[in-house]
Amino acid sequence: MKPFSRLGSGLRAALAAAAFVATGLAGPFAGAAVFNPETFTLANGMQVVVVPNHRMPVVTHMVWYRVGAADEADGESGSAHFLEHLMFKGTETLPAGVFSQTVARNGGRENAFTASDYTAYHQTVAKDRLELVMRMEADRMTHLILNPEQVEPERQVILEERRMRTESDPGALLGEYVDASLFLNYPYRRPVIGWEQEIRSLSVGGIMAFYRKWYAPNNAILVVAGDITAAELKPLAEKYYGVIPRGPDIQRLRPQEPEQRAPRRVVFKDDRVRQPEWSRVYLAPSYFFGDARQIYALEVLADVLGSGATSRFYRHFVVEGQKAVSAGVSYSGRAVGPGRFGLYVSPRPGVTLAETETAVDALLAEAVKTGITAEEVQRAKDRIIAGAIYARDSLGGGARVLGAALAIGLKVEDVEEWPERIRAVTTEEVNAALRAVLDPGRSVTSELLPANAADGKV
């Protein structure tokens, strides 16, 4: 029922995140540039962010927990996602199914998602139904009840979800193998949904222990976006969430990724593959890993190389070279752990993956040799900043951006000042980031091929 996600691309502004902690009510953030949020913190440590948007009498209510698949214990992959499903199974006051039925009966929409670094629950309802969903969400923060009769059928739902979304998709399977190769020790090497044999072995007791450890107001963020102000929300937040006792202080203890020195390659052949694809991903800096000063330059670099029809990759392989049906570059640095810088090309029939790889390496070598130009950098910055402005139009976009940011340990300032930080990126910084990130010893190259392909030929 509820999707898992790494929340990969999408709202570029999501990169900046924030965890503004203040006592009492704070006004609009000084120097606001993107969402102009209002923030305050409850006495039990729960952070609250309000994103006013008064165009419709509607609100999006989200509760984010600072726990995801990367926080699971060894041998218990899938715990965070399994718990997300089970959070809809009920409490003493809201039996199984009543939560979702109540939201639907009141004309709302709701869902949840799990990622490597966080888990979130959200509802979009009419403003006069906000108190109702706050009461229900606060109830299940600490009063979840589980029994084997509820857990076993949901386990089968999750196993079916894994079969449909991963086992039946060669590209998704290859993605799991690439992650397991890219991260030697960091828990991003585990799939968010979990390995099948470990999903089968998760116990009710283990999942409840995970719930009691991580689900507490001082490990959660409430974000409400829409037709509301902080002054209106604060009494409701104190009434429903503020009465929940603070839990023990929580530390996210994760293993460190060791130094990497060896290029790796993953080749996956499957008779279900219709479109071959070549890709490569490099371990990259993030807000909390490596040289964080490079993250804004890497955003600009990814745009220059592979974002849209005018990017170097798309023009070279698709438009001018007529050698591929698609091509692109991506970068994600909004993570608790290491970031990723990825390249991909899907060649046209008759073009081998070996030829594609040679062409990619030549294109990258030329970029390193001649450098990214000042004109390219300026155009990329203009596009990126425009995207942040457009994000203001979305009712739920600000809630997602700010929630994800706070959940990984960033600050509201990181979101609100993000356009200015992109604007400040120089051409020299972009070229320095290009030379630094393209380290073969920190990369995994992958090939996705039909089962009958030989030597990369299709």
Side-chain angles (χ1 to χ4, degrees):
M1 175 183 176
K2 312 301 171 188
F4 66 93
S5 168
R6 289 188 187 279
L7 286 186
S9 58
L11 296 166
R12 192 188 294 270
L15 41 55
F20 177 60
V21 180
T23 302
L25 199 63
F29 203 80
V34 184
F35 299 113
N36 299 318
E38 300 174 89
T39 65
F40 59 94
T41 301
L42 300 177
N44 58 14
M46 187 173 186
Q47 292 179 269
V48 183
V49 179
V50 184
V51 186
N53 184 333
H54 301 289
R55 284 180 290 184
M56 296 183 293
V58 175
V59 293
T60 292
H61 167 267
M62 303 189 78
V63 171
W64 296 71
Y65 293 96
R66 296 184 184 91
V67 61
D71 298 297
E72 297 160 346
D74 290 343
E76 298 179 0
S77 67
S79 296
H81 177 250
F82 205 152
L83 174 58
E84 176 218 307
H85 275 243
L86 295 173
M87 285 289 284
F88 294 84
K89 293 306 177 186
T91 66
E92 286 188 3
T93 56
L94 292 170
V98 172
F99 190 109
S100 297
Q101 293 165 9
T102 302
V103 173
R105 194 164 53 244
N106 283 273
R109 293 181 286 108
E110 48 114 26
N111 212 325
F113 51 83
T114 305
S116 293
D117 291 329
Y118 44 73
T119 306
Y121 303 83
H122 58 95
Q123 305 85 34
T124 296
V125 295
K127 180 180 179 180
D128 62 1
R129 299 296 189 272
L130 174 61
E131 183 170 359
L132 171 67
V133 296
M134 290 180 72
R135 176 174 57 79
M136 294 195 298
E137 195 67 77
D139 179 48
R140 69 178 174 178
M141 179 180 286
T142 54
H143 295 136
L144 179 66
I145 296 174
L146 296 180
N147 58 60
E149 290 72 29
Q150 294 173 320
V151 172
E152 291 313 312
E154 202 61 34
R155 191 192 310 275
Q156 298 309 312
V157 170
I158 294 170
L159 289 169
E160 179 60 21
E161 182 180 349
R162 181 176 167 85
R163 282 190 288 272
M164 291 181 61
R165 300 179 65 175
T166 305
E167 301 293 345
S168 64
D169 182 349
L173 285 171
L174 177 61
E176 287 192 341
Y177 303 147
V178 169
D179 284 346
S181 300
L182 180 64
F183 300 105
L184 302 179
N185 195 44
Y186 203 81
Y188 289 167
R189 68 196 321 275
R190 295 195 290 255
V192 172
I193 196 171
W195 299 115
E196 178 180 342
Q197 73 278 10
E198 294 182 355
I199 296 171
R200 292 186 183 280
S201 67
L202 293 173
S203 68
V204 176
I207 292 172
M208 285 303 293
F210 190 86
Y211 168 70
R212 295 190 186 99
K213 176 179 180 179
W214 295 101
Y215 281 46
N218 48 305
N219 198 45
I221 306 133
L222 169 65
V223 186
V224 181
D227 187 21
I228 194 163
T229 65
E232 293 174 290
L233 181 66
K234 189 175 183 185
L236 294 174
E238 290 177 333
K239 179 179 180 181
Y240 293 107
Y241 293 107
V243 297
I244 300 173
R246 179 187 179 92
D249 291 338
I250 296 173
Q251 284 189 301
R252 306 178 88 167
L253 301 175
R254 295 183 179 179
Q256 297 299 305
E257 183 66 18
E259 183 179 355
Q260 298 191 3
R261 306 184 185 93
R264 283 137 283 162
R265 181 177 295 271
V266 178
V267 178
F268 184 50
K269 296 181 180 180
D270 190 291
D271 57 13
R272 296 169 294 181
V273 173
R274 297 292 178 267
Q275 173 58 56
E277 183 170 291
W278 177 94
S279 62
R280 181 180 293 155
V281 60
Y282 297 87
L283 203 70
S286 74
Y287 280 89
F288 304 103
F289 175 86
D291 188 351
R293 295 171 300 178
Q294 293 182 344
I295 56 175
Y296 304 103
L298 287 170
E299 283 289 330
V300 175
L301 174 64
D303 191 283
V304 170
L305 291 180
S307 179
T310 61
S311 66
R312 285 197 181 197
F313 259 59
Y314 196 86
R315 282 191 290 109
H316 182 84
F317 287 102
V318 180
V319 179
E320 298 169 0
Q322 298 283 304
K323 298 291 187 183
V325 295
S326 64
V329 177
S330 65
Y331 166 64
S332 175
R334 59 185 192 285
V336 174
R340 299 173 174 87
F341 191 89
L343 327 163
Y344 77 91
V345 179
S346 296
R348 286 180 178 273
V351 180
T352 69
L353 295 194
E355 291 168 338
T356 299
E357 182 169 340
T358 298
V360 169
D361 286 339
L363 184 64
L364 294 176
E366 180 67 17
V368 171
K369 179 181 178 181
T370 61
I372 304 299
T373 68
E375 291 74 19
E376 288 177 304
V377 169
Q378 188 57 54
R379 285 197 298 270
K381 291 195 296 185
D382 290 344
R383 282 193 296 269
I384 294 170
I385 292 168
I389 294 171
Y390 299 147
R392 297 170 180 163
D393 291 335
S394 168
L395 177 66
R400 284 181 174 262
V401 169
L402 287 156
L406 290 162
I408 67 169
L410 294 177
K411 301 178 183 300
V412 167
E413 294 96 326
D414 294 317
V415 175
E416 295 298 287
E417 297 174 4
W418 182 73
E420 290 306 314
R421 297 177 187 180
I422 289 293
R423 189 172 284 115
V425 170
T426 67
T427 304
E428 290 73 23
E429 289 171 336
V430 172
N431 283 305
L434 169 66
R435 293 189 294 272
V437 78
L438 299 182
D439 181 349
R442 296 157 60 90
S443 75
V444 177
T445 300
S446 61
E447 300 177 14
L448 182 65
L449 289 160
N452 60 357
D455 299 328
K457 297 179 180 177
V458 294

